Amino acid sequence: MLHLQTNPETQEVYGTRDLMAVTWQGDKSMATFRHMWNTKVTHYQNTVTTKVKTALLLQQMKVSKDLAHQIAMHEAKFRGHASKDESHSEIQERYDDLVGILNDAIKVELREKSRRTELKANANSQKNDDRETPPAAPGTKGDGKRKG
C-alpha cells in the first residue's frame, strides 16, 4: 500500500496498520500468510519495531489450530520476558522463534504433500501396470511338455 507521507512519525503507524491487515487465512494457507507477512515486513523493516512485529505475528498465529501446541510452547518459553527492560536481542529472539515455528510447519506440510503425491503416483502406476499386463495363457509356462 502506498501512502503520501507528510509526517515522518506516521511511517510506523502506516506500517503497523498494514501489518495488522495481514490476517491468518487458515492453516491450509500458511505459506500464503508467510509470503504476505514477509512482503509487508520487508517494506516496513526500518519503521516498525521488532516488538510490534512480534506482537502482531503472535496474535495472528494464535488463530491456528495446527500451531496451538507450538504457540503454547513459545509462550511458556518466553513467559515473563516481554518487559520494558527486554533487550533488542531478546525481542529479536522471540520474533525469530515465531518465524521458525511458521517455517517449520510449512516445511512439514510440504513434505507431507509431496509424500501424498508420491504415494498417489505409485498407486496409479501400479494400477496401470496391472491393467497393461495381460494374464498368461493357461499351459504356456512350465507345463512339462517338450517339443521335439
Side-chain angles (χ1 to χ4, degrees):
M1 189 176 279
L2 202 59
H3 303 286
L4 175 61
Q5 185 176 346
T6 57
N7 183 348
E9 287 84 32
T10 60
Q11 187 68 13
E12 184 166 2
V13 172
Y14 288 131
T16 301
R17 189 183 74 197
D18 283 355
L19 280 175
M20 289 174 69
V22 180
T23 58
W24 195 260
Q25 301 295 316
D27 289 340
K28 298 295 180 201
S29 300
M30 280 188 222
T32 302
F33 171 82
R34 180 182 63 180
H35 173 74
M36 291 169 37
W37 179 265
N38 286 341
T39 299
K40 295 293 182 183
V41 165
T42 300
H43 185 73
Y44 293 108
Q45 68 186 353
N46 296 323
T47 57
V48 178
T49 66
T50 304
K51 197 170 202 169
V52 169
K53 290 187 296 189
T54 302
L56 293 174
L57 183 57
L58 178 60
Q59 179 184 9
Q60 292 303 315
M61 290 174 68
K62 277 185 168 185
V63 175
S64 171
K65 292 179 182 172
D66 289 354
L67 300 179
H69 178 71
Q70 291 92 329
I71 295 300
M73 296 293 288
H74 167 84
E75 289 180 318
K77 178 179 177 181
F78 293 101
R79 185 165 283 124
H81 289 274
S83 69
K84 288 183 179 181
D85 299 330
E86 190 175 29
S87 71
H88 178 73
S89 64
E90 291 170 323
I91 295 168
Q92 187 66 48
E93 183 183 356
R94 284 193 298 124
Y95 181 75
D96 291 345
D97 191 62
L98 286 173
V99 170
I101 290 168
L102 183 59
N103 288 339
D104 289 347
I106 292 168
K107 285 178 192 173
V108 167
E109 178 58 32
L110 288 174
R111 267 190 249 125
E112 288 177 3
K113 184 177 180 181
S114 177
R115 187 180 59 80
R116 288 189 302 266
T117 301
E118 188 177 320
L119 288 173
K120 187 175 181 180
N122 288 342
N124 287 338
S125 176
Q126 183 63 39
K127 285 180 187 177
N128 289 338
D129 287 349
D130 290 346
R131 285 188 212 140
E132 292 173 4
T133 306
T140 56
K141 286 187 177 179
D143 60 1
K145 296 182 182 176
R146 292 183 143 204
K147 291 185 180 181

